[in-house]
Amino acid sequence: MSSTSDKAKGLANEAVGNIKQGVGKVTDNDKLRAEGVIQEKKGEAQQAVGKTKDAVKKPPNKAFSWVCPAVWRPSTDGRFCVNCCN
């Protein structure tokens, strides 16, 4: 599953979970309220997975003062990349 679909499904699960909690509270249905809490937490976890996938895809550009966008590998002097920017 892609990071975008993980985040979208997570957001949907959170929304449905919140609705279930609200309906459970109004109808005094503890089971429905508990299901809503579980579904909301599932959605939060799905969103976290999606955000983690995004973070893994992106290069650690803050680790270096300058990094070439073409290869994301700095040279020893930290200003130019090894392959293309010399």
Side-chain angles (χ1 to χ4, degrees), residues 5-53:
S5 62
D6 281 326
K7 290 187 285 187
K9 286 184 179 185
L11 189 61
N13 271 322
E14 274 191 76
V16 172
N18 282 323
I19 291 168
K20 282 184 178 181
Q21 288 179 60
V23 171
K25 187 174 184 179
V26 169
T27 60
D28 200 31
N29 184 335
D30 291 335
K31 182 181 178 199
L32 188 59
R33 193 179 316 171
E35 287 175 7
V37 170
I38 291 168
Q39 191 159 3
E40 180 184 9
K41 297 301 178 189
K42 178 182 175 184
E44 290 172 2
Q46 281 177 313
Q47 285 195 48
V49 167
K51 289 176 183 178
T52 302
K53 285 181 181 179

Side-chain angles (χ1 to χ4, degrees), residues 1 6 19 23 30-31 45 56 58 71 73 80 82 86:
M1 202 178 314
D6 281 326
I19 291 168
V23 171
D30 291 335
K31 182 181 178 199
V56 169
K58 294 179 184 175
V71 292
R73 194 177 81 184
F80 301 105
V82 176
N86 290 329

